Amino acid sequence: MLEVVYLIFNEGFHSNHNKLLVRKELCGEALRLTKLILSKEQFRCGASYALFSLLCLNSSRLGAKVDENFNSIDLKNQDRSKWYLPLINLGVNALEKANEYPDFSTYHIEAAIVTEHIKAPTFEATNWKQILELYKQLEQHQENTIVSLSMAVVFIQLNEPQNAYLILQKLEPNALEQRSYLFYGVKAKYYQCVGNIDKAISYLNTAIESVPNFAEKTYLIKKRDALLTV
């Protein structure tokens, strides 16, 4: 039941729709369903509160995730003053409640990762070392391509591209299906980090060809075009 709600939210937060990057109605429905689950005492547990925390914390950032033209804004460039404090407070309180129960879930770890992003006053002030430790924990419970790709991104932020490369070498983009462009985008980040701009542009071009969403395609084209002037 919780996994279904989680999938509904993810489709809203990062939609596969070819025009819409965010579908707020799905995020709202997932929050409603989780509140409904928590209204029943027999369903209250660490996992259900941790999921509610995760959904609240991610929902708090929806207003900063796209601009007025529905173009994608990455985490680094989001206006953090637009993050919605009431939802942040709900999320933090729900995670504290989740930790009062004996059961543990991947939602606990994911909510803790988002909390680290929320706590940082700026992108540069993010505690990437702590986020890396949390991803390592997550990998022990849920080893998949998205988690590995996220760890590669963190290594790039920590200026440890060699570790990112070791991860990327083991990944198969086809495992991501419609989201294979994420792999090519991270590969581009890696090559940009090590100063190989031509390779970075090449992988961005592959990502642009692979991405089904118009907003993300536009975002990737802007990134590619910025590298062309370097």
Coordinates of all heavy atoms in Angstrom, one line a residue, residues 191-225:
Y191 N 32.3 14.1 -17.0 CA 33.3 14.6 -18.0 C 33.6 16.1 -17.8 O 34.7 16.6 -18.0 CB 32.9 14.2 -19.4 CG 33.3 12.8 -19.7 CD1 32.3 11.8 -19.8 CD2 34.6 12.4 -19.8 CE1 32.6 10.5 -20.1 CE2 35.0 11.0 -20.0 CZ 34.0 10.1 -20.2 OH 34.3 8.8 -20.4
Q192 N 32.5 16.8 -17.5 CA 32.7 18.3 -17.2 C 33.6 18.5 -16.0 O 34.5 19.4 -16.0 CB 31.3 19.0 -17.0 CG 31.4 20.5 -16.9 CD 30.1 21.1 -16.7 OE1 29.0 20.5 -16.7 NE2 30.1 22.4 -16.5
C193 N 33.4 17.7 -15.0 CA 34.2 17.7 -13.8 C 35.7 17.5 -14.0 O 36.5 18.2 -13.4 CB 33.6 16.7 -12.7 SG 34.5 16.8 -11.1
V194 N 36.0 16.6 -14.9 CA 37.4 16.2 -15.2 C 38.0 17.1 -16.3 O 39.1 16.9 -16.8 CB 37.6 14.7 -15.5 CG1 37.2 13.9 -14.3 CG2 36.8 14.3 -16.7
G195 N 37.1 18.0 -16.9 CA 37.6 19.0 -17.9 C 37.6 18.5 -19.3 O 38.1 19.2 -20.2
N196 N 36.9 17.4 -19.6 CA 36.7 16.9 -20.9 C 35.4 17.5 -21.5 O 34.4 16.8 -21.5 CB 36.8 15.4 -21.0 CG 36.9 14.9 -22.4 OD1 36.5 15.5 -23.4 ND2 37.5 13.7 -22.5
I197 N 35.4 18.7 -22.0 CA 34.2 19.3 -22.4 C 33.5 18.7 -23.6 O 32.3 18.6 -23.7 CB 34.4 20.9 -22.6 CG1 35.0 21.5 -21.4 CG2 33.1 21.5 -23.1 CD1 34.1 21.4 -20.1
D198 N 34.4 18.2 -24.5 CA 33.8 17.6 -25.7 C 33.0 16.3 -25.4 O 31.9 16.1 -25.9 CB 35.0 17.2 -26.7 CG 35.6 18.4 -27.3 OD1 35.0 19.5 -27.3 OD2 36.8 18.3 -27.8
K199 N 33.6 15.5 -24.5 CA 32.8 14.3 -24.1 C 31.6 14.7 -23.3 O 30.5 14.1 -23.5 CB 33.7 13.5 -23.1 CG 34.7 12.6 -23.9 CD 34.1 11.2 -24.0 CE 35.1 10.2 -24.5 NZ 34.6 8.8 -24.6
A200 N 31.6 15.7 -22.5 CA 30.5 16.2 -21.8 C 29.4 16.6 -22.7 O 28.2 16.2 -22.6 CB 30.8 17.4 -20.9
I201 N 29.7 17.4 -23.8 CA 28.7 17.8 -24.8 C 28.2 16.6 -25.5 O 26.9 16.5 -25.7 CB 29.4 18.8 -25.8 CG1 29.7 20.1 -25.1 CG2 28.5 19.0 -27.0 CD1 30.6 21.0 -25.9
S202 N 29.0 15.6 -25.8 CA 28.6 14.4 -26.5 C 27.5 13.7 -25.7 O 26.5 13.2 -26.2 CB 29.8 13.5 -26.8 OG 29.3 12.3 -27.4
Y203 N 27.8 13.5 -24.4 CA 26.8 12.8 -23.5 C 25.5 13.6 -23.3 O 24.4 13.0 -23.2 CB 27.5 12.4 -22.2 CG 28.2 11.1 -22.3 CD1 29.6 11.0 -22.4 CD2 27.5 9.9 -22.4 CE1 30.2 9.8 -22.5 CE2 28.1 8.7 -22.5 CZ 29.5 8.6 -22.5 OH 30.2 7.4 -22.6
L204 N 25.7 14.9 -23.3 CA 24.5 15.8 -23.2 C 23.6 15.6 -24.5 O 22.4 15.6 -24.4 CB 24.8 17.2 -23.0 CG 25.2 17.6 -21.5 CD1 25.7 19.0 -21.4 CD2 23.9 17.5 -20.6
N205 N 24.3 15.5 -25.6 CA 23.5 15.3 -26.8 C 22.7 14.0 -26.8 O 21.6 13.9 -27.2 CB 24.5 15.3 -28.0 CG 24.9 16.8 -28.4 OD1 24.1 17.7 -28.2 ND2 26.0 16.9 -29.0
T206 N 23.4 13.0 -26.3 CA 22.7 11.7 -26.1 C 21.5 11.8 -25.2 O 20.5 11.2 -25.4 CB 23.7 10.6 -25.6 OG1 24.8 10.5 -26.5 CG2 23.0 9.2 -25.6
A207 N 21.7 12.5 -24.1 CA 20.7 12.7 -23.1 C 19.5 13.5 -23.7 O 18.3 13.1 -23.5 CB 21.2 13.5 -21.9
I208 N 19.8 14.5 -24.5 CA 18.8 15.3 -25.2 C 18.0 14.4 -26.2 O 16.7 14.5 -26.3 CB 19.4 16.5 -26.0 CG1 19.9 17.5 -25.0 CG2 18.4 17.1 -26.9 CD1 20.9 18.5 -25.5
E209 N 18.6 13.5 -26.9 CA 17.9 12.6 -27.8 C 17.1 11.6 -27.0 O 16.1 11.1 -27.6 CB 19.0 11.8 -28.6 CG 19.7 12.7 -29.6 CD 20.9 12.0 -30.2 OE1 21.1 10.7 -29.9 OE2 21.7 12.6 -30.9
S210 N 17.4 11.3 -25.8 CA 16.7 10.2 -25.0 C 15.6 10.7 -24.2 O 14.7 10.0 -23.8 CB 17.7 9.5 -24.1 OG 18.9 9.1 -24.8
V211 N 15.6 12.0 -23.8 CA 14.6 12.5 -22.8 C 13.3 12.7 -23.5 O 13.1 13.3 -24.5 CB 15.1 13.8 -22.2 CG1 15.2 15.0 -23.2 CG2 14.3 14.2 -21.0
P212 N 12.2 12.1 -22.8 CA 10.9 12.3 -23.4 C 10.1 13.5 -23.0 O 9.2 13.9 -23.6 CB 10.1 11.0 -22.8 CG 10.8 10.8 -21.5 CD 12.2 11.2 -21.7
N213 N 10.6 14.2 -21.9 CA 9.9 15.3 -21.3 C 10.5 16.6 -21.9 O 11.7 16.9 -22.0 CB 10.1 15.4 -19.8 CG 9.4 16.5 -19.1 OD1 9.9 17.6 -19.1 ND2 8.2 16.3 -18.7
F214 N 9.6 17.5 -22.4 CA 10.0 18.7 -23.1 C 10.7 19.7 -22.2 O 11.7 20.3 -22.6 CB 8.7 19.4 -23.7 CG 9.0 20.7 -24.4 CD1 9.6 20.7 -25.6 CD2 8.8 21.9 -23.7 CE1 9.9 21.9 -26.3 CE2 9.1 23.1 -24.4 CZ 9.6 23.1 -25.6
A215 N 10.2 19.8 -20.9 CA 10.9 20.7 -20.0 C 12.3 20.3 -19.7 O 13.2 21.1 -19.7 CB 10.1 20.8 -18.7
E216 N 12.5 19.0 -19.5 CA 13.9 18.5 -19.2 C 14.7 18.6 -20.5 O 15.9 18.8 -20.4 CB 13.8 17.1 -18.7 CG 13.2 17.0 -17.3 CD 13.7 15.9 -16.5 OE1 13.2 14.8 -16.7 OE2 14.7 16.1 -15.7
K217 N 14.1 18.4 -21.7 CA 14.9 18.5 -22.9 C 15.4 19.9 -23.0 O 16.6 20.2 -23.4 CB 14.0 18.1 -24.1 CG 14.8 18.1 -25.4 CD 13.9 17.8 -26.6 CE 13.4 16.4 -26.6 NZ 14.4 15.5 -27.0
T218 N 14.5 20.9 -22.8 CA 14.9 22.3 -22.8 C 16.1 22.6 -21.8 O 17.0 23.3 -22.2 CB 13.7 23.2 -22.5 OG1 12.7 22.9 -23.4 CG2 14.1 24.7 -22.6
Y219 N 15.9 22.1 -20.6 CA 17.0 22.3 -19.6 C 18.3 21.7 -20.1 O 19.4 22.3 -19.9 CB 16.5 21.6 -18.3 CG 17.6 21.4 -17.3 CD1 18.0 22.5 -16.5 CD2 18.2 20.2 -17.0 CE1 19.0 22.4 -15.5 CE2 19.2 20.0 -16.1 CZ 19.6 21.1 -15.3 OH 20.6 21.0 -14.4
L220 N 18.3 20.5 -20.6 CA 19.5 19.9 -21.1 C 20.1 20.6 -22.3 O 21.4 20.7 -22.4 CB 19.3 18.4 -21.5 CG 18.9 17.5 -20.3 CD1 18.4 16.1 -20.8 CD2 20.2 17.3 -19.4
I221 N 19.3 21.1 -23.2 CA 19.8 21.9 -24.3 C 20.5 23.2 -23.8 O 21.6 23.5 -24.3 CB 18.6 22.3 -25.3 CG1 18.1 21.0 -26.0 CG2 19.1 23.4 -26.3 CD1 16.9 21.2 -26.8
K222 N 20.0 23.8 -22.8 CA 20.6 25.0 -22.2 C 22.0 24.7 -21.6 O 22.9 25.4 -21.8 CB 19.7 25.6 -21.1 CG 18.5 26.4 -21.7 CD 17.7 27.0 -20.6 CE 16.5 27.8 -21.1 NZ 15.6 28.3 -20.1
K223 N 22.0 23.5 -20.9 CA 23.3 23.1 -20.4 C 24.3 22.8 -21.5 O 25.5 23.2 -21.4 CB 23.1 21.8 -19.5 CG 22.4 22.0 -18.2 CD 22.4 20.8 -17.3 CE 23.8 20.6 -16.8 NZ 23.9 19.5 -15.7
R224 N 23.9 22.1 -22.5 CA 24.8 21.8 -23.6 C 25.2 23.1 -24.3 O 26.4 23.2 -24.6 CB 24.0 20.9 -24.6 CG 24.8 20.3 -25.8 CD 24.9 21.1 -27.0 NE 23.6 21.7 -27.4 CZ 22.7 21.2 -28.2 NH1 22.8 20.0 -28.6 NH2 21.6 21.9 -28.5
D225 N 24.3 24.0 -24.6 CA 24.7 25.3 -25.2 C 25.7 26.1 -24.4 O 26.5 26.8 -25.0 CB 23.4 26.1 -25.5 CG 22.6 25.4 -26.6 OD1 23.1 24.5 -27.3 OD2 21.4 25.9 -26.9

